[in-house]
Amino acid sequence: MGKRPTRLTGTPGKSERNTAEHSGPAVGAADGQWLTRGKDGKLTLYALAQDGVVRWSETTVGGPDWTGPHVVPAPGLTHLTVLQGANTYVHFLGRRERVGADGARSADLVHAVQYQTGLAFSDWRSLGNPYADASAAPAAPAGAVARDGSVHVVVHGDRGGLQLRREAPNGKWRNWEVLPGGAVHHSPAAIALTDGRVEMCAAAETGVLVWRQAEPGGDFAGPRAFSLQPEPGTVAALETGPGRATFFWTDAESDGATAWRVGGWPAALGGTPADRPYAALRTTIDGYDCVVLACRSRGGAAVLGTGGAEQEADGFWWYELAETGQGAPALTLDGRGRVVMALIGADGRPRVARQGDGEGLALTRWITLGS
């Protein structure tokens, strides 16, 4: 049996200032890894803005001061997913809708990259529209950046399956390919593992489907189907061992969080059911190898939990915070190794709390980033 992690400690945090609803620069939360740490150790937070992306960046490693908001234009952008590779480059996947001179509507998926904290984005490149009807808006994209830096973009297909587009070793993009398998409810949770492979897990009509690469850069085998019952839209992934992914979701039967690894049994974690994918982080707390999860409850409250990595039987501890937000929260480690949690408030302003000193995982006072 593994060691038991220290419980969450502290009292629910409060924001440093209150603002009117929808008064901030963000019009929506991003998906994916929208709180990132650059090679310089500074954090950057990204959100969806009106026709673009808005970002804030730490001025010094570990904060507490931030610059921003800085808006990066992207006309027609209606959805944003943020990914980060092992080389710390930050990738942006978006869904873009446009109206032509003749009034005809079109939609496509786009990609851009930022190579260093605070620098400009690359040009937005169209990845096309994988749907048969090019006027239909494709689903929100998901993805992962493999260890070699190649970007994998996956989207819920117009016929219920999954469609994948990825970079080739020479940096050029391959054509869209249809992944085998039945109908899925949403785009999957995709994860890039340290052994170079990418895995994907999606809730489907028949349970759970998992696609895996046998080797880095190879084709995706599967899917393997498992008779499990995740709530659609709540699946997340985290590497909890070398080349080994643990998937987290809200279980449709128990209405609590569940952890599961291929080849094992699902483990009930309890807690408040999430309405979006969990943010997942692996770190050391009080000398123990731990998993930290964050989610938004169905009532909109931010929830934080922790337990031993791959030691679900030892217990998982949950803590509902006083903060509320839109979309799913984000987790990362700052340049000093402290857990940082972020969310986008209903007012469009980002709020950030950081792990304090002392035992356990106690968050310091929430701060609202400037507008």
Side-chain angles (χ1 to χ4, degrees), residues 83 159 168 179-180 204 232 236 238 283 319 336:
L83 312 174
R159 297 180 181 177
L179 294 179
L238 178 69
T283 188
Y319 188 63
R336 298 180 183 176

Side-chain angles (χ1 to χ4, degrees), residues 9-58:
T9 61
T11 56
K14 295 183 179 180
S15 294
E16 289 191 347
R17 68 171 185 242
N18 295 319
T19 52
E21 191 169 358
H22 303 302
S23 62
V27 298
D31 288 336
Q33 302 161 272
W34 54 269
L35 181 64
T36 65
R37 186 180 71 219
K39 190 171 293 185
D40 58 3
K42 297 177 184 177
L43 301 183
T44 302
L45 185 153
Y46 304 91
L48 183 67
Q50 185 68 43
D51 287 332
V53 179
V54 59
R55 74 185 183 203
W56 292 258
S57 298
E58 285 185 322

Side-chain angles (χ1 to χ4, degrees), residues 13 22 25 28 30 36 41 51 65 67 88-89 104 109 112 115 146 148 156 161 278 296 302 307 328 331 357:
H22 303 302
T36 65
D51 287 332
D65 296 326
T67 61
T88 74
Y89 297 168
L109 299 178
Y115 297 103
D148 64 2
H156 182 263
Y278 290 84
R296 188 185 76 168
L331 292 171
D357 297 330

Side-chain angles (χ1 to χ4, degrees), residues 15 40 125 185 342 355:
S15 294
D40 58 3
R125 171 174 179 164
H185 293 298
Q355 182 180 4

